[in-house]
């Protein structure tokens, strides 16, 4: 018996099952169009005023950059815990990591992504 037959069965089920479920949902599901269905809904309170302006893209860019640099900085803690066992190679690897991190920060800073207008 070919050892790949169970794998092929799982792949087949993974492709067939969503298609079957979507088809059944569209055939058996309700088909009512209501006016309130397309209205924005937040916290159970109907919207009385038009929505405010959107946040600028710079806000999201700074937020993503903060998360990126924050998550990368978290890698410093486990390195500090096992620093003695890593020796000089661990020091060199962390120096390379911090250099790449610093160069990324300088690049983002020079591009003006951290400045509020």
């Amino acid at each position: 018996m070919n050892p790949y037959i169970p794998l092929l069965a799982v792949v087949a089920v993974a492709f067939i099952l969503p298609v079957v479920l979507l088809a059944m949902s569209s055939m058996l599901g309700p088909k009512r169009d209501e006016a309130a269905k397309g209205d924005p809904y937040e916290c159970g309170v109907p919207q009385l005023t038009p929505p405010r302006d959107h946040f600028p893209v710079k806000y999201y860019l700074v937020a993503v950059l903060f998360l990126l640099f924050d998550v990368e900085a978290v890698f410093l803690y486990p390195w500090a815990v096992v620093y003695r066992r890593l020796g000089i190679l661990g020091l060199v690897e962390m120096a390379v990591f911090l250099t790449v991190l610093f160069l990324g920060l300088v690049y983002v800073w020079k591009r003006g992504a951290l400045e509020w207008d």
Side-chain angles (χ1 to χ4, degrees), residues 78-114:
W79 171 77
V81 170
V82 295
Y83 172 71
R84 291 181 190 215
R85 287 188 290 179
L86 295 176
I88 192 72
L89 181 63
L91 180 64
V92 171
E93 288 176 352
M94 188 51 68
V96 169
F97 175 75
L98 290 175
T99 302
V100 170
L101 188 64
F102 180 73
L103 290 176
L105 179 62
V106 168
Y107 173 77
V108 168
W109 194 345
K110 291 292 182 185
R111 294 287 308 247
L114 301 177

Side-chain angles (χ1 to χ4, degrees), residues 10-25:
V10 169
V11 170
V13 169
F15 281 114
I16 293 171
L17 186 64
V19 172
V20 169
L21 291 176
L22 284 172
M24 286 176 52
S25 173

Side-chain angles (χ1 to χ4, degrees), residues 61-82:
L61 181 63
V62 169
V64 167
L65 288 172
F66 172 76
L67 287 175
L68 176 74
F69 287 114
D70 192 42
V71 167
E72 287 181 352
V74 168
F75 287 116
L76 290 173
Y77 181 73
W79 171 77
V81 170
V82 295

Side-chain angles (χ1 to χ4, degrees), residues 30-40:
K31 294 170 180 55
R32 296 183 303 252
D33 287 334
E34 298 177 10
K37 191 174 186 179
D39 289 343

